[in-house]
Amino acid sequence: MAKHETPLLDQLESGPWPSFVSDMKLEAESRAKNVNNVEFQIPQDVIEDLMGVLELSYKDAETHWKHGGIVGVFGYGGGVIGRYCDQPEKFPGVAHFHTMRVNQPSGHFYSTDFLRQLCDLWEFRGSGLTNMHGATGDIIFLGTTTPQLEEIFYEMTHKLNQDLGGSGSNLRTPSDCIGAARCEYACYDTQDLCTYLTQEYQDELHRPAFPYKFKFKFDGCPNCCVASIARADMSFIGTWKDDIRVDQDAVKGYVNGEFPPNGGSHSGRDWGPFDIQKEVIDLCPTQCMKYENSKLEINNKECTRCMHCINVMPRALRPGKQTGCSILVGAKAPILDGAQMGSLLLPFVEVNKENDYQEVKDVIESIWDWWMEEGKNRERLGELMKRQGFQKLLEVTGVDPIPQHVSEPRHNPYIFWKEEEVQGGWERDINEFRKHHQR
Amino acid sequence: MAFISSGYDPENPMQDRITDIGPRNYEEFYPPVIKNNKGKWLYHEILQPGVLVHVSETGDEVYTVRVGGARLMSVSLIREICELADKYCGGYVRWTTRNNVEFMVDSKDKVQPLIDDLQSRKFPGGSYKFPVGGTGAGITNIVHTQGWIHCHTPATDASGPVKGVMDEVFEDFQNMRLPAHVRISLACCLNMCGAVHCSDIAILGYHRKPPMVDHEYIDKMCELPLAIASCPTAAIKPKKVEIEGKTVNSVEVNNSRCMYCGNCYTMCPCLPLADKEGDGIVLMVGGKVSNRISAPKFSKVAVAFIPNEPPRWPKTSETIKKIVEAYAADANKYERLGDWAERIGWERFFEKCDLEFTHHLIDDFRDPAYYTWRQTTQFKF
């Protein structure tokens, strides 16, 4: 017999999609039976109370969680989100129900040994419920009590060789796409750069010293599977400088119907035979390709590397060999002043493991210096860029302006000239002027 | 429930303390076929919905079986994933950026037994534990936020509407009949922890009532200047209020200037705004993050408000289904939802999707609004 009736939640057990309600019920049952005699460090019926409070929210159509409150582990300013229930008498098991962010391994690859260690720790000292994964990329441990925070951190660092992630006004846990590990499009090693910078900037990640949150995300190619261009203060997006590699025999293979277009992604409908003119050449945004006499020609100088032709014919086309990344800056979700997309700062940066990614770190640190000096409380980088202008960003990063920085030049001529740009400067003698111009 | 120490000594927090070690290194967790072929992959193919093969220049192949899952996951279910990964995949498994789980094997003959096992596992309530799918021109898993299970500012739940919508569009999780992939995301308030603002279809929780002021406690619990400064529309100003004959410092909200972002509530718990009738869902459409063919773009508001309907949010699910079907019927191959809407024109989009156009959908928030008004004689009747 369940501790709380949950008639509304029960309706989420039917239907084909995996039911989180069924999963929670099984976990509640498993804790109640406790066949492995785990000495639970938080209430055994925590999940029943969590379902109880969620059912109440389904009835009230309002949340029953209060604000955070300052909880954390000694010496860190992030990684733990305080959470308290606003009906603690009814649901004592979740009166304190703090979240811990656990820094995921890059690429979200796991061994089952490590996953089991995480599960054992979290069953013993927490609710046994997780998010795999949170929106930023962390493994989320959902719900424990204040006295357990240090214990979990101690066990995690001592036995699991594992650290917490970021929260608050600091570097948030960086995350990446699958990259070269299992994708032929990757233009640099996203896992390695992500891990390297995460380790390099541990202090910035754990100890909030920034005006607000700051996110790095690493996409191996312009397909942007980790959505860096929409949500990272600095997006590192793989690209290449030289020519798309073409296997003409494989192109013919696609034309002759030997290979399914777009890696077979459209097989659920009969779209008719593959038509290279209609599906590739005509859709190229720069019209830089033609297919004549059974040969594909690409005017690579005019290509903007949108990935469409490569996506459609992965066996025939590959990104070039001279690879690196573009860096875009300032993306964010709408709070406060509207959403912003990342803006291109550096078209091409070498991603070089041999020199510890020095080019990349130089850009990051020049931007941080500016933002930490000038950014207001709770002002994201993108908002500072809007407030002080793109020119200021170029100045602090030492980047020369180029047409690639804009989608089009400005619409107004209200140019703020610098005094040193104007011949003779701004200091003039009014009496000299009056010699030639009467009052 | 006796307290068991990890070895941590609260009297001596720095003793043996280990900090700043970061995450475990990814290299520990690559299955051998990944380790051996990293950076050497030549091409891939989706063999059937949810099943991919990647072929390496070494001749090796890796077969991936992708399954959907709720983002909220118990340790028992993760252990079951481990059991499957041990049995079929040499003890390795991974997650995608959209909360799917990927099981990888190094030869084709290992694929079918794995699929059969995954598809056979169901929860007692009847739902799949590990539905295979989520690839190609279909609808993959919804990325989402916490909602009522764990957050203090949500205007809707997350896991509930996601379950409702995924049940509704489940066939498209296991099929690839659409013109291009359709990414659905959910954020339970404007803060958008889920960054849904560039999704083909975004489900957004939205408050519609300005905050109440808890005059009696606000000066004791909050820094009033911070609460005032937090408002992006300058709708909050200081005010002295009489409470039981005593004058207390508080604030006043200019209701007509409030856009219900909840930023003040994040700074000050004495300004709550959640409300059963006020809160609900905004549907946004046509965003994308990929640079493919067209540039990345923001989602646009297509439905200004749908009430919260726990437990299954039927109106939200039906409306999404309607948009997906109109898109499936009319868009060209490879055309994303937003590119389709732009090609046919937004007037046609509302017609074909059978959605009402109301004044709420015309932007009136600051400068960018002007750029969204129609400034040409080119329109369709």
Side-chain angles (χ1 to χ4, degrees):
Chain A
M1 180 70 192
K3 185 174 174 188
H4 307 283
E5 293 293 312
T6 54
L8 292 169
L9 290 179
D10 293 349
Q11 294 176 51
L12 287 169
E13 290 205 87
S14 57
W17 187 250
S19 169
F20 69 99
V21 175
S22 300
D23 189 17
M24 286 170 80
K25 284 187 176 178
L26 287 181
E27 190 62 25
E29 218 174 278
S30 156
R31 283 179 83 90
K33 282 187 191 152
N34 193 19
V35 290
N36 294 323
N37 297 313
V38 178
E39 294 197 63
F40 297 117
Q41 296 293 293
I42 75 165
Q44 191 162 1
D45 60 359
V46 54
I47 295 174
E48 275 143 287
D49 276 355
L50 182 64
M51 292 184 68
V53 76
L54 187 60
E55 178 74 15
L56 185 63
S57 278
Y58 271 53
K59 213 170 102 209
D60 296 347
E62 287 167 10
T63 191
H64 284 287
W65 298 100
K66 294 202 281 187
H67 272 67
I70 311 292
V71 289
V73 299
F74 189 78
Y76 280 9
V80 180
I81 321 293
R83 189 65 71 215
Y84 302 90
C85 180
D86 74 5
Q87 298 293 322
E89 295 83 8
K90 280 191 205 155
F91 309 105
V94 293
H96 303 211
F97 200 65
H98 311 317
T99 307
M100 298 185 86
R101 294 187 181 167
V102 180
N103 196 146
Q104 83 288 355
S106 296
H108 288 146
F109 283 92
Y110 294 97
S111 69
T112 53
D113 284 349
F114 180 54
L115 280 175
R116 285 198 179 93
Q117 285 180 308
L118 288 168
C119 289
D120 291 349
L121 172 61
W122 189 235
E123 180 180 46
F124 171 44
R125 295 193 180 276
S127 71
L129 292 178
T130 74
N131 291 146
M132 297 295 282
H133 298 81
T136 301
D138 297 277
I139 303 159
I140 306 293
F141 279 179
L142 211 59
T144 191
T145 57
T146 309
Q148 289 303 313
L149 297 172
E150 287 289 357
E151 306 297 326
I152 291 164
F153 181 69
Y154 192 93
E155 282 200 37
M156 209 187 285
T157 49
H158 284 76
K159 294 185 188 157
L160 274 65
N161 188 26
Q162 170 67 45
D163 208 336
L164 295 178
S167 65
S169 292
N170 62 10
L171 175 64
R172 297 299 181 85
T173 309
S175 70
D176 61 344
C177 71
I178 190 165
R182 202 201 57 203
C183 180
E184 66 271 24
Y185 302 150
C187 294
Y188 72 94
D189 186 344
T190 53
Q191 260 109 80
D192 199 70
L193 183 58
C194 183
T195 300
Y196 179 87
L197 293 176
T198 305
Q199 295 291 358
E200 178 76 4
Y201 297 121
Q202 279 290 295
D203 191 30
E204 286 79 0
L205 196 153
H206 295 302
R207 297 171 192 87
F210 288 157
Y212 202 14
K213 65 181 90 165
F214 197 94
K215 299 185 179 185
F216 290 150
K217 294 197 188 294
F218 306 90
D219 273 311
C221 85
N223 281 330
C224 281
C225 289
V226 74
S228 66
I229 198 166
R231 58 195 191 126
D233 297 270
M234 285 186 84
S235 335
F236 303 84
I237 303 175
T239 195
W240 66 95
K241 269 180 151 172
D242 52 347
D243 295 352
I244 292 175
R245 286 177 280 172
V246 185
D247 175 345
Q248 295 289 354
D249 289 339
V251 175
K252 277 180 225 151
Y254 281 102
V255 172
N256 296 332
E258 290 161 33
F259 312 128
N262 217 61
S265 67
H266 285 68
S267 64
R269 192 198 294 195
D270 182 8
W271 290 93
F274 176 66
D275 179 343
I276 193 169
Q277 186 65 36
K278 198 170 134 205
E279 297 188 33
V280 180
I281 311 293
D282 292 348
L283 291 179
C284 170
T286 63
Q287 300 289 296
C288 71
M289 320 177 81
K290 59 183 177 185
Y291 187 71
E292 279 172 4
N293 307 319
S294 300
K295 197 165 175 246
L296 181 72
E297 276 181 53
I298 305 175
N299 179 359
N300 279 280
K301 190 167 188 308
E302 298 308 312
C303 170
T304 50
R305 304 167 311 287
C306 85
M307 294 297 293
H308 176 65
C309 59
I310 299 177
N311 287 332
V312 175
M313 303 190 291
R315 289 180 192 234
L317 304 180
R318 304 171 72 190
K321 285 181 159 171
Q322 203 183 337
T323 57
C325 75
S326 301
I327 298 182
L328 290 86
V329 293
K332 57 179 280 292
I335 289 283
L336 292 171
D337 207 14
Q340 286 179 240
M341 204 70 82
S343 299
L344 182 69
L345 175 63
L346 289 158
F348 189 87
V349 176
E350 207 178 295
V351 183
N352 189 352
K353 201 174 184 167
E354 304 307 314
N355 70 359
D356 289 340
Y357 303 113
Q358 196 55 51
E359 289 86 350
V360 171
K361 284 190 291 187
D362 287 346
V363 184
I364 292 169
E365 285 164 26
S366 62
I367 284 177
W368 279 351
D369 284 347
W370 173 50
W371 181 55
M372 288 174 76
E373 184 71 27
E374 298 284 337
K376 295 184 194 170
N377 183 33
R378 285 167 68 81
E379 185 176 51
R380 291 284 288 271
L381 176 63
E383 290 159 327
L384 175 63
M385 284 162 55
K386 268 170 94 174
R387 183 161 63 83
Q388 296 202 344
F390 199 83
Q391 280 89 339
K392 186 71 185 173
L393 173 73
L394 294 179
E395 203 179 299
V396 300
T397 49
V399 175
D400 289 331
I402 45 172
Q404 285 86 340
H405 284 138
V406 295
S407 59
E408 56 193 2
R410 66 193 305 155
H411 291 191
N412 60 69
Y414 309 148
I415 300 163
F416 291 100
W417 290 95
K418 293 193 172 91
E419 187 175 6
E420 61 271 23
E421 287 180 319
V422 182
Q423 202 173 12
W426 291 345
E427 290 306 315
R428 289 176 289 161
D429 183 349
I430 188 68
N431 295 323
E432 194 56 36
F433 181 80
R434 286 294 169 221
K435 283 181 190 167
H436 312 285
H437 305 275
Q438 296 177 16
R439 276 190 188 90
Chain B
M1 197 175 80
F3 182 85
I4 298 174
S5 170
S6 60
Y8 171 74
D9 176 6
E11 300 299 313
N12 222 339
M14 289 313 290
Q15 187 180 307
D16 303 328
R17 196 163 189 84
I18 299 174
T19 67
D20 300 271
I21 56 173
R24 290 277 284 268
N25 193 290
Y26 60 90
E27 283 189 341
E28 296 176 56
F29 303 132
Y30 282 157
V33 66
I34 295 292
K35 191 171 277 183
N36 297 337
N37 294 285
K38 184 174 177 179
K40 297 177 187 163
W41 300 105
L42 285 177
Y43 63 88
H44 76 279
E45 194 177 316
I46 305 169
L47 302 173
Q48 64 187 72
V51 182
L52 303 105
V53 60
H54 287 78
V55 179
S56 163
E57 63 190 35
T58 65
D60 286 355
E61 296 175 329
V62 62
Y63 292 83
T64 302
V65 179
R66 181 179 294 171
V67 304
R71 183 182 96 144
L72 182 72
M73 200 172 260
S74 73
V75 292
S76 298
L77 195 62
I78 297 172
R79 287 181 182 133
E80 192 169 337
I81 290 168
C82 291
E83 174 204 320
L84 285 156
D86 282 347
K87 186 168 175 194
Y88 297 99
C89 311
Y92 298 94
V93 64
R94 77 173 289 268
W95 269 258
T96 71
T97 52
R98 299 189 76 88
N99 311 322
N100 293 311
V101 186
E102 291 188 334
F103 295 92
M104 285 163 282
V105 293
D106 56 12
S107 73
K108 197 169 187 177
D109 56 303
K110 296 177 184 169
V111 174
Q112 199 56 47
L114 172 59
I115 293 175
D116 293 343
D117 197 341
L118 290 165
Q119 287 281 73
S120 72
R121 294 181 188 233
K122 290 189 169 182
F123 285 110
S127 66
Y128 287 104
K129 280 182 173 172
F130 308 112
V132 176
T135 51
I139 297 178
T140 188
N141 207 342
I142 297 178
V143 290
H144 65 90
T145 53
Q146 296 290 17
W148 293 333
I149 197 129
H150 207 61
C151 183
H152 65 291
T153 64
T156 187
D157 187 36
S159 298
V162 164
K163 167 73 175 150
V165 171
M166 283 311 292
D167 279 343
E168 183 80 35
V169 300
F170 186 71
E171 277 179 25
D172 283 318
F173 181 78
Q174 297 198 311
N175 196 342
M176 303 191 290
R177 60 156 186 141
L178 299 178
H181 51 273
V182 173
R183 296 278 186 256
I184 307 180
S185 310
L186 180 147
C188 51
C189 84
L190 262 191
N191 275 305
M192 287 199 194
C193 300
V196 303
H197 57 291
C198 295
S199 307
D200 295 279
I201 298 176
I203 306 163
L204 174 67
Y206 199 72
H207 301 289
R208 292 187 307 164
K209 295 192 184 181
M212 296 172 276
V213 184
D214 196 347
H215 293 297
E216 195 179 344
Y217 286 90
I218 192 165
D219 196 29
K220 295 175 201 148
M221 291 178 71
C222 308
E223 294 282 352
L224 296 186
L226 271 184
I228 290 162
S230 72
C231 179
T233 61
I236 305 176
K237 62 180 181 187
K239 189 187 184 183
K240 298 231 185 272
V241 180
E242 291 284 321
I243 301 263
E244 292 167 3
K246 276 203 292 192
T247 305
V248 296
N249 294 323
S250 184
V251 298
E252 179 178 30
V253 180
N254 180 344
N255 287 342
S256 64
R257 289 181 81 151
C258 177
M259 62 159 178
Y260 336 103
C261 72
N263 207 50
C264 56
Y265 181 60
T266 294
M267 300 308 285
C268 167
C270 291
L271 294 163
L273 67 169
D275 186 272
K276 186 172 191 166
E277 282 77 34
D279 298 351
I281 278 171
V282 178
L283 283 184
M284 302 175 73
V285 301
K288 69 195 271 275
V289 294
S290 162
N291 291 273
R292 183 177 186 172
I293 304 178
S294 61
K297 50 185 135 211
F298 294 124
S299 312
K300 288 93 185 164
V301 179
V303 181
F305 186 74
I306 301 174
N308 278 323
E309 300 171 310
R312 296 195 73 97
W313 280 262
K315 185 87 196 314
T316 299
S317 303
E318 284 158 22
T319 310
I320 288 172
K321 180 76 173 168
K322 210 161 70 168
I323 295 169
V324 169
E325 289 307 329
Y327 162 72
D330 198 56
N332 295 330
K333 192 177 179 185
Y334 306 119
E335 195 170 46
R336 292 287 290 269
L337 201 150
D339 292 327
W340 166 65
E342 285 172 16
R343 177 173 59 82
I344 63 173
W346 286 96
E347 54 269 58
R348 281 287 174 276
F349 170 86
F350 282 93
E351 192 182 296
K352 284 181 188 286
C353 293
D354 186 26
L355 296 173
E356 192 190 357
F357 189 87
T358 65
H359 76 86
H360 311 97
L361 308 184
I362 301 172
D363 198 348
D364 56 358
F365 192 73
R366 299 192 179 162
D367 275 1
Y370 165 84
Y371 297 99
T372 65
W373 304 341
R374 186 82 55 111
Q375 284 140 1
T376 169
T377 57
Q378 293 187 19
F379 60 85
K380 293 180 182 175
F381 287 108

